Amino acid sequence: KNEVEQSPQNLTAQEGEFITINCSYSVGISALHWLQQHPGGGIVSLFMLSSGKKKHGRLIATINIQEKHSSLHITASHPRDSAVYICAVYLIGRDDKIIFGKGTRLHILP
Amino acid sequence: EPEVTQTPSHQVTQMGQEVILRCVPISNHLYFYWYRQILGQKVEFLVSFYNNEISEKSEIFDDQFSVERPDGSNFTLKIRSTKLEDSAMYFCASSDASGGSYEQYFGPGTRLTVT
């Protein structure tokens, strides 16, 4: 069983739709990282959070430590949001160790 | 804003050849990492490096792999005798662990193609 599970694996939506990507994990973590990977392959950091909620522009990330679950939301989605979104967790007590989810491939249609 | 850089962006090599992938971490960072992502698969940890030595390595990081910090700025990953299955995207990352934050900053990656 994967220690970090993301859902859905693939998501296609129309421009303007509200998008939710979920991440569940089974290990103790000190923090969770949401990353974006564009078709060219480069990885961009979106959020790193250990509790509550963070917002940046149209992106919102929440985490519930008790439920071991995090969500990434995109409001007013746009075709340029099309990318793979990766959830990665930092193991508690092993802050240098990251476990990655498989990613959610998002495609926003114009 | 400081960023991690990697060169080359794309490397094509023949099976059995040695390759060196280069990374320049953010200048005040102390922890360095290499990750690999085979096409269509998730990112996998290869190795972490701190205080001029490997702090952890995965089972992927066998004797064919080595890392080095040859000077104060570069961090390299060497694959001695490449195999077809080494074809992947290789990401370097760095962190400074200051103030209790271990956030890792990723480079843009090097796409390695072994033919």
Side-chain angles (χ1 to χ4, degrees), chain A residues 58-83:
Chain A
R58 295 180 294 105
L59 301 179
I60 303 165
T62 63
I63 188 168
N64 185 318
I65 294 292
Q66 287 73 31
E67 294 185 4
K68 296 190 172 182
H69 181 268
S70 175
S71 292
L72 176 69
H73 306 285
I74 306 174
T75 61
S77 58
H78 190 276
R80 64 174 174 266
D81 298 325
S82 299

Side-chain angles (χ1 to χ4, degrees), chain A residues 2-104:
Chain A
N2 289 320
E3 291 153 310
V4 180
E5 296 273 6
Q6 287 187 235
S7 63
Q9 285 187 321
N10 295 284
L11 178 57
T12 299
Q14 289 292 139
E15 183 174 355
E17 284 190 42
F18 181 81
I19 303 299
T20 296
I21 298 171
N22 296 298
C23 176
S24 297
Y25 51 91
S26 58
V27 292
I29 71 166
S30 58
L32 184 144
H33 209 154
W34 279 104
L35 305 158
Q36 182 190 56
Q37 186 172 32
H38 277 281
I43 292 177
V44 174
S45 175
L46 297 176
F47 297 103
M48 185 158 166
L49 65 167
S50 54
S51 65
K53 177 178 173 178
K54 284 191 176 180
K55 185 176 191 292
H56 183 73
R58 295 180 294 105
L59 301 179
I60 303 165
T62 63
I63 188 168
N64 185 318
I65 294 292
Q66 287 73 31
E67 294 185 4
K68 296 190 172 182
H69 181 268
S70 175
S71 292
L72 176 69
H73 306 285
I74 306 174
T75 61
S77 58
H78 190 276
R80 64 174 174 266
D81 298 325
S82 299
V84 176
Y85 292 84
I86 301 171
C87 169
V89 300
Y90 290 70
L91 297 185
I92 195 164
R94 294 288 315 281
D95 292 321
D96 62 334
K97 184 82 184 281
I98 297 182
I99 299 176
F100 292 81
K102 290 184 177 180
T104 293

Side-chain angles (χ1 to χ4, degrees), chain A residues 2-4 33 35 37 39-43 45 47-48 86 90 94-103, chain B residues 31 33 35 37 40-45 48 55-56 89 91 100-109 111:
Chain A
N2 289 320
E3 291 153 310
V4 180
H33 209 154
L35 305 158
Q37 186 172 32
I43 292 177
S45 175
F47 297 103
M48 185 158 166
I86 301 171
Y90 290 70
R94 294 288 315 281
D95 292 321
D96 62 334
K97 184 82 184 281
I98 297 182
I99 299 176
F100 292 81
K102 290 184 177 180
Chain B
Y31 295 80
Y33 311 86
Y35 295 92
Q37 185 181 33
Q41 298 186 22
K42 69 176 182 178
V43 179
E44 301 171 288
F45 170 78
S48 59
S55 48
E56 185 170 357
M89 194 80 165
F91 294 100
S101 170
Y102 284 81
E103 181 173 0
Q104 294 184 23
Y105 294 79
F106 290 84
R111 185 172 298 282

Side-chain angles (χ1 to χ4, degrees), chain B residues 12-19 81-84 113-115:
Chain B
V12 181
T13 190
Q14 288 193 323
M15 196 167 54
Q17 295 296 305
E18 174 183 287
V19 293
S81 179
T82 50
K83 303 187 284 284
L84 293 175
T113 302
V114 182
T115 61

